[in-house]
Amino acid sequence: HLGESKVASLQIHYPNVTIIEKRIDKTWVDEYDFEPYDLVLDAIDDVGAKVALAKKTYKKLISSMGSAKQMDPTKIAVTSIWKTTEDPFARKIRYQLKKERFNKNYQVIYSLEQNKCTEKGSFCGVTGAFGLTMCSLAMRKIFGMK
């Protein structure tokens, strides 16, 4: 699927999944109706949109924090947004949530790895493991497992 849209590629493999191919920003999140969905799986890279989504959907949200510049998929962890450590992106999200006086709890996937990579980019072994972790959490929620 080189050069193809991620969501269009997803649709090919999972034709029953409803895809939304849009640039996600805070305005879009504010206007979109998430009510019909049982779960919201978030891999947004934009702080404003991510914070707006958390505030709007925290009861059914599973959110991925920063996987870029990470090299060790064994350092992936799942916890409350408020208990994340080592993740600079999660730190930005916590800061903004506090600033907006939001204190609700929701699960996030993040890395405990201290960022040693200085180059831009992502290692598919880590980003893939983030995605698989998110899928596992979603399936456990769907089946009522902890």
Side-chain angles (χ1 to χ4, degrees):
H1 298 286
L2 189 60
E4 293 180 15
S5 154
K6 291 176 187 177
V7 293
S9 299
L10 178 75
Q11 184 80 77
I12 291 167
H13 295 286
Y14 301 97
N16 295 329
V17 170
T18 302
I19 64 167
I20 301 168
E21 189 162 6
K22 296 276 184 191
R23 170 87 172 107
I24 306 298
D25 60 18
K26 183 185 179 315
T27 302
W28 185 89
V29 170
D30 289 341
E31 294 173 358
Y32 192 79
D33 179 16
F34 292 92
E35 188 59 36
Y37 301 98
D38 296 323
L39 292 174
V40 175
L41 307 180
D42 158 42
I44 300 170
D45 292 331
D46 179 81
V47 172
K50 198 170 202 75
V51 167
L53 186 68
K55 289 171 65 178
K56 190 169 183 177
T57 67
Y58 70 92
K59 289 182 181 177
K60 52 186 170 183
L61 180 64
I62 301 171
S63 187
S64 175
M65 294 293 113
S67 63
K69 298 185 179 183
Q70 304 298 323
M71 296 299 292
D72 188 351
T74 67
K75 300 287 188 196
I76 293 172
V78 177
T79 193
S80 160
I81 182 61
W82 306 110
K83 294 181 180 178
T84 58
T85 60
E86 305 302 331
D87 187 317
F89 189 55
R91 188 176 310 115
K92 288 179 187 177
I93 301 304
R94 284 193 320 271
Y95 172 80
Q96 194 62 38
L97 289 170
K98 286 177 189 175
K99 187 175 172 184
E100 296 185 26
R101 299 186 189 277
F102 180 84
N103 64 0
K104 305 296 184 194
N105 199 23
Y106 61 96
Q107 277 189 315
V108 300
I109 302 152
Y110 74 109
S111 177
L112 290 162
E113 183 177 7
Q114 291 187 4
N115 197 350
K116 294 177 185 147
C117 181
T118 57
E119 298 297 318
K120 288 186 177 182
S122 300
F123 170 46
C124 66
V126 173
T127 56
F130 264 68
L132 291 171
T133 303
M134 182 176 277
C135 290
S136 173
L137 289 171
M139 295 305 294
R140 287 185 273 166
K141 282 189 177 223
I142 289 167
F143 291 111
M145 302 164 72
K146 292 208 175 206

